[in-house]
Amino acid sequence: MNFIKNYFHLEKLGTNVRTEFIAGLTTFISMSYILFVNPSVLGASGMNTGAVFTATALAAALGTAIMGIVANYPIGEAPALGINAFFAYTVCIGMKVSWETALASVFVASIIFILITLFKLREKIIDSIPSDLKFAISSGIGLFIAFLGLQSGGLIVANKSTLVGLGSLHNPLVWITIFGLIVTVILMILGVPGAIFIGMIAASIFGICTGQIAVPHKFISLAPSLAPTFGQAIFHVKDINSLQMWVVVLTFLLVTFFDTAGTLIGLAQQAGFMKNNKMPRVGKALAADSTAMMFGSIFGTSPVGAFVESSAGIAVGGRSGLTAVFVAIFFLISMIFSPLLGVFTTQVTAPALIIVGVLMAQNTAHIHWNKLEIAVPAFLILLGMPLTYSISDGLALGMITYPICMVSAKRGKEVSPMMWVLFVVFIIFLWVLNFK
């Protein structure tokens, strides 16, 4: 036990094993939906959903364990939402690329990712982003995950006239979210430790009592075979032999790069890790997700990256890599206890995302809103992330407008060369995303 405390610097970080365990469990529960969502999305491309389930769990466990043990950050890794839809619907269905070749594209992108990380280019990029924009990024992610929570809980729904609107209170599933949110808010205000996790337990019990969540018929099942997808990424690297396929590789690289960078910055801001506008051990954190992306493609899943839902664990006190280690263990356990995960539906985890969004949005207080050259790009990041449903797209809006605004304010000398590089890169990034 002393070895664990010393290795993860628990006392220095103001935490303990119990807190890290609760944080790890909270993060895992908040992330666990990906075990079911990812196979559903990738299954549209023709992939074996059972194999994708196992690949998702293994990739998440491996990436998260590396993040915890090597980088000592309480951040979970898993196949990212959004990019998995790009994989299935744009690449495989839209471009008529086989899922095996699409996996090979992810594998090649991950190799480039690792090389960029080794040369510390990603680290330099993250360090070059001004503190105001870092606060905007963390706040924007907060708004984004709160929007995800409101949507997954049924409180916000699609509306043909106004894009989005208030969900129906006649839907009994919505009341699971409302009940969980009220309980969590009360517990948070009262300062009850583990309030978010307790709120999820209360919401799941409420759902079972009202008959909206089924009690699982069994608690243990064997993990599905990985055979249908394992190694296909390597076997089909030879198929990346056209401009179209290299555009796919570049898109996987850019989206994952900036999604992960934005997520890491936001989570580091939330946990108070940033020092002098720099993220300690950022190189190790970046190495963790690039490695996870590579092995994830070999196992048989879309790009793996840092998960914004890690903020739920950070909110209940997770501060060290021990939180991530617990998350990794839970992902491994989940492969045999998958029926039990059905109790924690999206309506149950929604209140956690909403509350964490509130906590992360507090960083807007640190942005210099009185200076328009800062306020405009910061605002576009804040609003862009939830409205485009993409962390990387929101980043692009802010990064492109920042140099323009600074030059207009006659503060162009304050814009670092790296920020000018990002200005060009994000313009290319948006062009690539809209490449037909």
Side-chain angles (χ1 to χ4, degrees), residues 282-296:
V282 65
K284 293 180 179 179
L286 296 170
D289 63 64
S290 55
T291 304
M293 181 178 172
M294 180 184 71
F295 280 103

Side-chain angles (χ1 to χ4, degrees), residues 43-65:
S45 69
M47 296 183 71
N48 181 286
T49 55
V52 174
F53 173 88
T54 303
T56 301
L58 287 174
L62 179 63
T64 306

Side-chain angles (χ1 to χ4, degrees), residues 260-384:
T260 301
T263 302
L264 285 175
I265 290 171
L267 295 173
Q269 286 280 18
Q270 180 197 1
F273 292 138
M274 303 297 285
K275 295 179 181 179
N276 299 319
N277 197 37
K278 292 188 177 183
M279 182 178 172
R281 307 182 306 284
V282 65
K284 293 180 179 179
L286 296 170
D289 63 64
S290 55
T291 304
M293 181 178 172
M294 180 184 71
F295 280 103
S297 66
I298 295 173
F299 292 149
T301 184
S302 52
V304 177
F307 241 57
V308 293
E309 284 80 1
S310 304
S311 52
I314 292 172
V316 299
R319 288 296 179 273
S320 81
L322 185 57
T323 291
V325 171
F326 281 127
V327 173
I329 292 171
F330 290 132
F331 266 113
L332 290 176
I333 294 174
S334 73
M335 290 193 293
I336 59 171
F337 288 100
S338 55
L340 196 60
L341 294 175
V343 174
F344 294 98
T345 64
T346 55
Q347 291 81 21
V348 170
T349 59
L353 301 182
I354 296 167
I355 289 297
V356 169
V358 172
L359 297 175
M360 294 185 73
Q362 293 174 3
N363 281 318
T364 55
H366 303 294
I367 299 171
H368 291 85
W369 293 109
N370 59 326
K371 297 186 183 298
L372 202 59
E373 64 271 24
I374 296 296
V376 170
F379 184 76
L380 288 175
I381 289 173
L382 279 169
L383 206 59

Side-chain angles (χ1 to χ4, degrees), residues 19-244:
T19 299
E20 297 291 295
F21 177 83
I22 293 175
L25 187 58
T26 302
T27 293
F28 169 72
I29 290 172
S30 298
M31 292 175 64
S32 62
Y33 68 86
I34 197 64
L35 289 166
F36 302 99
V37 174
N38 202 43
S40 175
V41 173
L42 297 186
S45 69
M47 296 183 71
N48 181 286
T49 55
V52 174
F53 173 88
T54 303
T56 301
L58 287 174
L62 179 63
T64 306
I66 296 173
M67 180 67 76
I69 295 171
V70 177
N72 197 26
Y73 276 123
I75 297 174
E77 300 264 328
L81 284 176
I83 191 69
N84 60 355
F86 173 79
F87 179 104
Y89 296 103
T90 301
V91 177
C92 295
I93 297 176
M95 296 182 180
K96 302 187 185 308
V97 174
S98 70
W99 62 262
E100 292 93 341
T101 305
L103 281 178
S105 300
V106 176
F107 177 75
V108 172
S110 71
I111 297 299
I112 299 173
F113 225 152
I114 291 173
L115 292 174
I116 291 174
T117 302
L118 288 175
F119 286 105
K120 297 186 177 181
L121 181 58
R122 292 175 75 191
E123 194 171 339
K124 290 176 182 176
I125 290 172
I126 291 177
D127 287 343
S128 71
I129 298 173
S131 58
D132 284 279
L133 296 191
K134 281 193 171 86
F135 285 121
I137 290 167
S138 59
S139 300
I141 290 173
L143 295 180
F144 178 52
I145 63 174
F147 183 70
L148 286 176
L150 290 166
Q151 183 191 45
S152 61
L155 289 170
I156 295 293
V157 296
N159 185 299
K160 290 183 179 179
S161 301
T162 60
L163 293 183
V164 291
L166 184 67
S168 173
L169 297 181
H170 294 293
N171 182 355
L173 291 174
V174 172
W175 286 98
I176 298 176
T177 299
I178 294 173
F179 177 81
L181 185 59
I182 292 172
V183 170
T184 305
V185 168
I186 292 172
L187 293 176
M188 290 285 288
I189 293 173
L190 293 174
V192 176
I196 293 177
F197 177 63
I198 295 171
M200 285 192 286
I201 295 294
S204 62
I205 293 173
F206 178 83
I208 291 173
C209 291
T210 56
Q212 300 305 310
I213 296 178
V215 178
H217 297 295
K218 59 180 180 178
F219 298 97
I220 299 176
S221 64
L222 293 175
S225 172
L226 200 63
T229 59
F230 185 79
Q232 295 301 318
I234 298 175
F235 302 148
H236 289 267
V237 168
K238 63 181 184 300
D239 296 336
I240 303 174
N241 53 13
S242 66
L243 176 61
Q244 182 191 51

